Amino acid sequence: MTDPHATAERILRRFARETNLLIAGRPVRVSAEEEDTATALAVAGMARALGALLVESEGPDVLDIDVRGDDAALALGGRPLGSRGDAGGRLDFARAHMPVSTALARELADAGTVAGLRIGVSMTLEPKTANLALLLRDAGAEVAVYAHPDETDAAVAEALRSRGVVVDADASLSGEAEREAALGWLRRGFDVVVDDGSHLVRLAHEAAPELVARWIGVTEETTSGLTPLRAMAASGVLATPVVAVNDAATKTGFDNRYGTGQSCVFAIADLIENVDATVRDLPVLVIGYGPVGVGVAAHLAALGAQVSVAEIDPLRALLAAHDGYPVGRAEDLAQGALVVSCTGVAGTITRELLSLAAMVAVAGGVPGEIDLEPDVLEPVAVAGARVPHLDVDVERGTLVLDRGGCINVTAAEGNPIEIMDLSFATQLAAIRHLVETRPAIGVHALPGDAVAHVAATAAAARGLEVDADPAGASSPGDADWRSRRYRDPRA
């Protein structure tokens, strides 16, 4: 007998896996014959819980889900869902769903802002980041791309090279060879560095400070990258301006909550399905209730998981409790649970927690977020075939997903395209701010007007209608500041 909930989850995960598109904010239309009504209702309910907008009409972005037994026929914008093809096809598909970044890049090109500048992009190399490099190239910059070996899609790297962008990324490197490759990329000499995790920026400060002195500045994508850069600034070590892209509302408010939430939770669900498990069958402990933890918890709950939260920050613990999650100490909640670290802090999942948990995974993440002993990990095999990205700690019996790597990057295709479109539009706005204003050494917020411009561009690209600004509402300095309650009748 078909389980409507399980079928709904598989259908929605298949859509995300085959397209790398977002469910939250997407118009979804669900249909079915009478005998599949229960499953159709489950699909509609789960899609709504994930943030979809249920509609009854056609449209260019509408996902049509025609439930048929334990599966469904999927169509997007009236066209049956098909393969994106090879790496080049995936690049083209991603570009077609990146209107906001495309618009911001066009502004850079029209203004000549980056013409002739050397820009280094160090990010996970997959179709969306490849398009960021292409957009910068098309805006007039000289672009070179680097990616860590475990974050390199070799086919995408080759496709990007074939389109004329320099790519210093090799998935086979490790150890000293990886370090030398990163230094070689830095020695190309850049005016602007776009980093993710600040690994390359920190390496340059350590091993090639003469290069840092020539930079206009850096844009940093992540919380885990900004934390050490702020520490460097506080200790007087930082030697370049940094724009904190991560802190812009158009990045953190969407990338972490919706992008990392969907991509990490779906990647986890895809993996554990190989051992006949679902998140619905397990208690789940989310460690860390920052923006990533909020998104991961929400998506897990939408799939029916029993989520609890552990936090070190009383404010975030209160927020989790008010969102309806049990909150407590990790060691009291980890027994038999799927434990997901959302902290970006090394050593979050200790060996004690490993002994208690049934499964462990990292969302977002930094190296070493799980305190692992690699020599006690053995691959999981099902029917004699190894399951990629799934190992067992033979001493503790705990399943370790992706060997503690950033689960949505090395075991999946990263955050959904529309989310990274917004993040990369924010990156482009940050590059423009760096080049045009040349801020002093330090970590700087992206100005509010630049963030507002990205948001307005995104709203227009997605066809959202917003109300006109009431007179004086957005200019409080020009408004009558006197209290209406105590107005002098003689005035």
Side-chain angles (χ1 to χ4, degrees):
M1 181 177 179
T2 298
D3 178 345
H5 186 283
T7 299
E9 182 184 321
R10 283 197 301 272
I11 290 169
L12 293 171
R13 283 194 284 119
R14 177 163 71 86
F15 165 73
R17 187 170 57 250
E18 292 180 359
T19 64
N20 196 216
L21 292 176
L22 186 67
I23 291 175
R26 179 169 301 286
V28 173
R29 183 170 61 172
V30 183
S31 59
E33 298 296 332
E34 185 175 353
E35 61 269 23
D36 294 319
T37 299
T39 300
L41 289 172
V43 171
M46 189 174 292
R48 186 69 190 90
L50 290 165
L53 175 67
L54 300 180
V55 299
E56 296 182 358
S57 58
E58 297 179 350
D61 296 318
V62 172
L63 167 60
D64 278 301
I65 303 175
D66 183 12
V67 177
R68 299 175 182 179
D70 60 357
D71 202 351
L74 304 179
L76 188 63
R79 295 188 175 186
L81 208 60
S83 170
R84 287 176 284 163
D86 60 8
R90 289 189 289 139
L91 261 67
D92 294 339
F93 183 89
R95 173 67 73 90
H97 293 274
M98 296 176 68
V100 192
S101 294
T102 300
L104 268 289
R106 189 178 303 115
E107 292 176 3
L108 287 179
D110 291 345
T113 305
V114 297
L117 292 183
R118 293 164 299 173
I119 298 180
V121 177
S122 173
M123 288 185 163
T124 299
L125 184 50
E126 40 75 40
K128 302 174 292 290
T129 48
N131 273 302
L132 174 62
L134 289 167
L135 287 168
L136 285 166
R137 190 274 311 273
D138 293 346
E142 298 176 22
V143 181
V145 174
Y146 177 83
H148 307 299
D150 60 343
E151 298 178 354
T152 297
D153 183 322
V156 170
E158 193 55 42
L160 191 53
R161 290 187 188 101
S162 73
R163 299 187 184 195
V165 174
V166 173
V167 179
D168 294 323
D170 185 340
S172 68
L173 298 179
S174 63
E176 188 60 30
E178 179 183 351
R179 177 184 170 90
E180 285 305 311
L183 284 170
W185 178 79
L186 286 166
R187 291 186 184 114
R188 287 185 178 278
F190 299 114
D191 299 301
V192 174
V193 173
V194 178
D195 208 351
D196 182 334
S198 72
H199 298 290
L200 275 294
V201 172
R202 285 181 277 164
L203 177 62
H205 278 75
E206 171 200 341
E210 73 282 0
L211 299 177
V212 179
R214 304 172 193 166
W215 294 351
I216 294 171
V218 171
T219 64
E220 171 53 45
E221 176 84 0
T222 64
T223 304
S224 58
L226 286 171
T227 298
L229 292 177
R230 288 194 166 105
M232 291 167 66
S235 62
V237 176
L238 187 67
T240 187
V242 176
V243 177
V245 171
N246 175 79
D247 295 352
T250 46
K251 194 278 181 184
T252 297
F254 297 86
D255 187 305
N256 298 12
R257 166 66 173 83
Y258 300 101
T260 305
Q262 174 178 304
S263 59
C264 287
V265 170
F266 281 19
I268 289 169
D270 284 345
L271 280 181
I272 66 176
E273 187 176 48
N274 288 290
V275 291
D276 294 326
T278 73
V279 295
R280 198 166 44 130
D281 294 335
L282 292 169
V284 182
L285 170 61
V286 172
I287 303 181
Y289 203 66
V292 169
V294 169
V296 168
H299 283 78
L300 284 165
L303 298 189
Q306 300 302 307
V307 180
S308 59
V309 172
E311 248 299 347
I312 62 171
D313 185 315
L315 175 59
R316 292 199 293 259
L318 284 167
L319 290 170
H322 282 76
D323 282 340
Y325 304 115
V327 177
R329 299 171 67 227
E331 61 233 50
D332 296 331
L333 298 168
Q335 185 67 53
L338 163 62
V339 177
V340 185
S341 177
C342 301
T343 65
V345 176
T348 293
I349 298 181
T350 64
R351 293 184 184 181
E352 179 184 5
L353 291 178
L354 264 174
S355 298
L356 296 171
M359 305 177 184
V360 293
V362 173
V366 296
E369 203 156 326
I370 302 175
D371 187 7
L372 285 172
E373 300 167 278
D375 57 339
V376 302
L377 294 182
E378 290 187 359
V380 171
V382 175
R386 179 176 179 176
V387 180
H389 309 292
L390 196 58
D391 294 270
V392 62
D393 183 323
V394 293
E395 289 189 358
R396 300 170 179 83
T398 306
L399 285 175
V400 179
L401 278 63
D402 198 34
R403 300 179 73 87
C406 182
I407 193 73
N408 64 332
V409 172
T410 50
E413 202 173 348
N415 284 349
I417 295 168
E418 301 97 331
I419 286 296
M420 297 313 298
D421 180 30
L422 199 53
S423 290
F424 289 160
T426 308
Q427 280 280 7
L428 293 168
I431 292 169
R432 182 166 193 167
H433 174 68
L434 266 179
V435 173
E436 292 183 347
T437 69
R438 308 291 174 113
I441 290 172
V443 179
H444 305 273
L446 183 62
D449 58 349
V451 177
H453 178 61
V454 174
T457 304
R462 296 175 187 180
L464 301 182
E465 295 184 3
V466 298
D467 280 337
D469 184 19
S474 63
S475 304
D478 299 330
D480 185 352
W481 53 267
R482 291 168 293 188
S483 170
R484 290 179 177 272
R485 182 179 294 276
Y486 300 112
R487 178 170 292 175
D488 186 343
R490 296 167 297 179

